[in-house]
Amino acid sequence: MNTICNKQVQVQDLGLIDYQLSWDYQERLLAEIVAAKIANRNLPVDSQTLTPNYVLFCQHPHVYTLGKSGKEDHLLANDAFLQTLGATYYKINRGGDITYHGPGQLVGYPILDLDNFFTDIHRYMRLLEETIIRTLADYGLDAGRIEGLTGVWLDYQTDEKQSNGPRKICAMGVKASRWVTMHGFALNVNTDLSYFNHIVPCGISDKAVTSMQAELGRDVSVTEVAERVTHHLADLFEMELTSVPAGVSRLLV
């Protein structure tokens, strides 16, 4: 556990970025934070360095990602068909099953040293969900959780009056190493939902997927949604936010 805590979080807008490039960047930041934590163990308190925290926002070109607990047969398309979709496919080291990322979807990758906040992965996941729930409430959408299922849903309280049934609007999957997090959430804003037809989303075959655009009947500014998400993240995690200019992806190469 950190002897001294850093609540400052740097928010970075990576723009539209290749999935592999963003994954490599996350891994690099995580490794740097872990190295600093290990070094601090052998230093007196007044010589220790604060471990940094980041929240990365981005969009990805069409891509399917399979978590370490997922099943490969939940991808319903072969390599040749993926090429016709202009989509790529990665097996990755987060939790969860298969999901889709693409333009019009807000992806958030918190790279946080939880020793700076709290060391509880369950609480971390619930606060990420609460962040999205509050963001959607800002747009008049009543979202919530379904017991036993990670992520954020509409029509989450199942009853016979809800003809559309539960619809997932935000998927989540994270990894933590020495209490440092990576990966995160994918909120469907103006997402082309047809791409979900080629997978069993999150391994759940009996529930639908939706987007803010589909529910509100209009396009929604992804930038505006990111600002609302940032506000609620800061409130729930008691963060002190700093930011870097848009287009920071040029720093990744």
Side-chain angles (χ1 to χ4, degrees):
M1 181 175 180
N2 294 350
T3 306
I4 49 177
C5 295
N6 178 26
K7 297 286 189 179
Q8 290 190 343
V9 180
Q10 185 180 109
V11 180
Q12 298 184 2
D13 175 9
L14 306 184
L16 182 66
I17 183 173
D18 176 76
Y19 186 84
Q20 184 68 61
L21 187 58
S22 71
W23 187 8
D24 292 343
Y25 185 45
Q26 290 182 73
E27 292 277 15
R28 192 176 89 199
L29 294 177
L30 182 145
E32 290 172 355
I33 297 170
V34 168
K37 295 183 73 169
I38 292 173
N40 279 343
R41 291 179 179 176
N42 300 316
L43 297 172
V45 174
D46 58 359
S47 298
Q48 292 179 7
T49 59
L50 295 173
T51 54
N53 308 285
Y54 306 88
V55 172
L56 313 178
F57 287 116
C58 65
Q59 298 180 54
H60 292 305
H62 304 297
V63 59
Y64 296 101
T65 65
L66 180 69
K68 59 187 179 182
S69 59
K71 297 181 180 179
E72 288 193 56
D73 60 4
H74 288 166
L75 175 65
L76 308 178
N78 58 28
D79 290 343
F81 189 70
L82 288 180
Q83 289 183 6
T84 69
L85 295 174
T88 53
Y89 170 59
Y90 292 94
K91 298 178 186 177
I92 62 175
N93 59 357
R94 62 162 168 78
D97 206 287
I98 195 166
T99 195
Y100 160 77
H101 301 305
Q105 182 187 71
L106 177 65
V107 179
Y109 296 132
I111 316 296
L112 306 179
D113 180 2
L114 291 183
D115 271 322
N116 288 323
F117 301 94
F118 50 79
T119 50
D120 184 332
I121 291 295
H122 177 79
R123 181 181 175 191
Y124 174 67
M125 294 297 294
R126 302 295 80 77
L127 286 184
L128 284 186
E129 290 170 345
E130 185 63 25
T131 295
I132 302 302
I133 289 168
R134 293 188 182 188
T135 297
L136 293 170
D138 291 341
Y139 292 86
L141 294 173
D142 178 21
R145 304 172 181 84
I146 295 178
E147 186 175 355
L149 299 176
T150 301
V152 177
W153 303 75
L154 301 186
D155 279 356
Y156 55 97
Q157 296 175 320
T158 55
D159 66 45
E160 295 178 357
K161 297 179 182 179
Q162 296 172 334
S163 58
N164 291 330
R167 304 179 300 289
K168 194 169 200 174
I169 196 166
C170 184
M172 295 185 178
V174 304
K175 174 192 173 183
S177 176
R178 298 181 184 268
W179 294 113
V180 182
T181 66
M182 64 177 289
H183 300 298
F185 61 84
L187 174 59
N188 295 328
V189 182
N190 303 315
T191 315
D192 182 347
L193 298 177
S194 69
Y195 278 81
F196 286 97
N197 295 335
H198 310 299
I199 60 173
V200 180
C202 302
I204 303 169
S205 60
D206 62 344
K207 293 179 175 59
V209 176
T210 191
S211 68
M212 296 178 70
Q213 180 189 52
E215 298 295 327
L216 297 172
R218 60 178 175 86
D219 285 352
V220 181
S221 167
V222 178
T223 300
E224 180 185 87
V225 174
E227 291 172 353
R228 299 308 305 162
V229 169
T230 301
H231 168 77
H232 292 301
L233 270 176
D235 182 44
L236 289 165
F237 284 83
E238 300 180 349
M239 295 173 172
E240 301 169 14
L241 298 178
T242 62
S243 62
V244 298
V248 72
S249 56
R250 68 183 184 278
L251 304 176
L252 309 188
V253 296

